Amino acid sequence: MTQRNLLLLTIVLLPTAWRASVVDASGQEQQPTAVQVEFFERRIRPLLVTHCYSCHSAKATKLRGELFLDTRAGVLTGGNTGPALVAGKPDESLLIKAVRYEDKDLRMPPKAKLSAAEIADLEAWVRMGAPDPRTGKQVAKQGIDIDEGRKHWSLQPIGNPSPPAVRNRDWPVGAIDHFILARLEAHGMSPASPADPRTLLRRVHFDLTGLPPTPEEIEDFVRAWDAASAKRQAKGANPRSRAMVLQQVVDRLLASPAYGERWGRHWLDVVRYADTAGDNSDYPIPQMVLYRDWVIDAIGRDMPYDQFVREQLAGDLMPAESESDRQSKIIATGYLANSRRHGSYEDARYPWHLTIEDTIDNFGKAFLGATLGCARCHDHKFDPFPAEDYYALYGFFSSTRYPWPGIELDRAQHDLVPLAPSAEIEQFTKTRQQKLAELEAKIKRLEKEKAPADSVKAAKKDREKFAKQPLPFATAYAMMDGPTEPKKRIGRVGNVRMHMKGDPERLGAEVPRRFPLVLGGQTLPGGVKGSGRLHLAKWLTEPSNPLTARVMVNRIWQYHFGRGLVATPNDFGKQGRPPTHPELLDYLARQFIDSGWSIKAMHRLIVLSATYQQASEVSETSEVLSRDPDNELLSHFPRRRLDAESIRDAILAVSGGLDRSRGGPHPFPAQPAWDFTQHKPFKAVYDSNRRSVYLMTQRIQRHPFLALFDGPDTNASTAARTTSTTSLQALYLMNDPFVHEQARKLAARLLAERSDDAGRIHRAFVLAFGRPPAAAEAKQARRFLDQVGDVFESVNIPGEQRAARRWESFARALFMSSEFVYIN
């Protein structure tokens, strides 16, 4: 007997129990024995090197099928068609099927079949559990090298840079100004002059609250600013007296309810908030306003950002200080629950993988500035995120119960989270389960007695009707661990197998739940029984994570200056833009963490800087325009248009028609009347004079005003608003009934608050633009009013109406002006 046959016979005749011990009962691999190692090294590795590595290894010129056979991890993970083998089962292993040439479409090696002896060796190897001593880590598909990936700027540890020295020591107010001025001086440029106090106050008001300052607030600020400016010239005066005047305004605005409404809206952009589900019928979700209000409240009271993140990902799993705190944390998980729904079918056929894919895509962009969705079907083509990272995250969310919003073929809501004390919920659940058991027993009894069929479609209907009865508690569209029914495909706690090419019907190797490898790859500790979302939330907000703080401070900077230090706020990867001021970005991120993750502290740091307080005007002949045409170096404040909500809110505020009360539930139809289908989806627009953040927004139909003025996309994360200028926008401001109504209110306000045309023109300019009119503008306004009055007289409009009508026309002209919708 040859040595090869003796070794093979020894392996094959070993007891089955011993052969299976390569993988223990818990699924953990055991170290191969000496005999197994010898068999692999003498019979299997040479075979793989000779026949397979040229196409299926890290050194392959062109990797075929995304399959690596040069590591054990690669063999188990498999390629596009799934794992290469099933340990212990050669007949079920793709590798064996391929070398046997059983399938004409799967024959490997493709040019010549292996010998019978070589095939027998592979079969024996798989039968014994595929022992493999190769301990090297699998090189990620497409050649991803995790260590190399960490060299990208955004994945480097956050530094702690000191403000650089500058030549002009008089200009900087704080550290930000040193970073900005150092770059300007390096390019031979200087900062702009300070903005005048009226312009500055209007800028700060819109930035922090989304509303214009009142004329009284403007005059108070100008007086205090001028007084502080005069004191600066006096001997021994406090050189920061003017900064203190601005700081008082900033503190007042940050403490106002309007601040939470303004900056809450920014966050709702990022997390693609909507009041509807997004399925073919776009079912309404009345409870989503609870999450909207939670965001507004959390930002308004300056909840530390790391806590803000953790509660949205795992609030239901966090300890609570009180019943109200517990309910608040549950509501926070509306962030995850708000993931898009798809299709029209009931739960058994619902494509949950699409909802989880939407969750992961937003999770990556919102918190990490990472396009994780690109790793769903294959390893990320540009950034160091292998597909295994994607499915490691997938397991956290597939182990969680998503609420059901209703859908065409299952129109009732269920699996929402009751907002009531636990004892009450437990008692109700116990009573409900008893009733369901009674109804189920009745059905079985009727079936056993062979009762008439109609008495059985009736008993079953009673059971279904009872099962779908709404809970007698307020509910939240929120997340909870674990399914309500074992048959469900979503909510089963555990890891998931990879979806080969993103197809949930083609499963690959199981991937343990963990954090992305390039960010540490932390895995769940032993004994974790639930989804593990709380661990995920903690890993995400560890100060050592290089992305979380950087991404958020960049968003804050973006909303103040119109563009982030990184111009692609949802993509800090290789396809994104690098930071214009990397040291400043790290300085802000370090300050953010050291401040206790305070967003308000970041506002103060930015708004009180000399950089922020620059004027926006630049001479057309200035060398600034040629040296830095996009103003990336911030040699002046970037003039920009108001966003859609601020335009609408400003119109309401100036007219006196703004309802400042808190937005409540939307007037959706009663749930028993829901009969929406893909051919008759839910569509509605609910008028309101409250702030625009409280408008009902849905997914298949955008709110008319928000759509026209570049509002957020409710189907995907809006990293930054676009700004378009179209004729439709002008036509809206000329003709829409909403604008006409607010113009009438502004006209009535001007007529009531001032007694003469000159006073009314002055008042109108201060209300609309935050400044009085120049002499030429006042003269032009009087001419406009006279000409409009003549037109109305020529068409026989009565005299008592002409006065009001001409001021209405003037009000619409103000609303349509460029200065009204831009901040300088």
Side-chain angles (χ1 to χ4, degrees), residues 376-392:
R376 178 173 68 90
C377 301
H378 49 69
D379 289 349
H380 203 294
K381 298 293 186 181
F382 304 102
D383 299 326
F385 297 107
E388 289 85 351
D389 276 355
Y390 185 90
Y391 291 99

Side-chain angles (χ1 to χ4, degrees), residues 47 104 204 216 244 255 260 298 365 395 407 446 514 524 528 613 635 736:
L47 186 158
K104 63 181 179 65
V204 171
E216 294 71 26
M244 294 169 64
K365 291 176 179 175
I407 209 166
L446 290 172
R514 57 166 172 76
L524 290 175
V528 174
Q613 296 175 44
S635 62
D736 190 83

Side-chain angles (χ1 to χ4, degrees), residues 473-540:
F473 315 109
T475 56
Y477 195 71
M479 308 289 278
M480 292 289 283
D481 266 10
T484 54
E485 301 175 26
K487 67 180 181 181
K488 288 195 173 178
R489 298 172 62 188
I490 191 72
R492 296 176 183 171
V493 173
N495 302 325
V496 297
R497 295 170 63 183
M498 292 183 63
H499 298 175
M500 309 314 296
K501 288 196 171 181
D503 185 350
E505 303 301 324
R506 297 175 57 197
L507 299 180
E510 180 178 300
V511 184
R513 284 164 283 167
R514 57 166 172 76
F515 209 43
L517 293 174
V518 76
L519 296 175
Q522 299 95 319
T523 58
L524 290 175
V528 174
K529 296 181 180 179
S531 66
R533 280 181 291 118
L534 185 55
H535 290 83
L536 175 64
K538 289 178 178 178
W539 299 331
L540 181 66

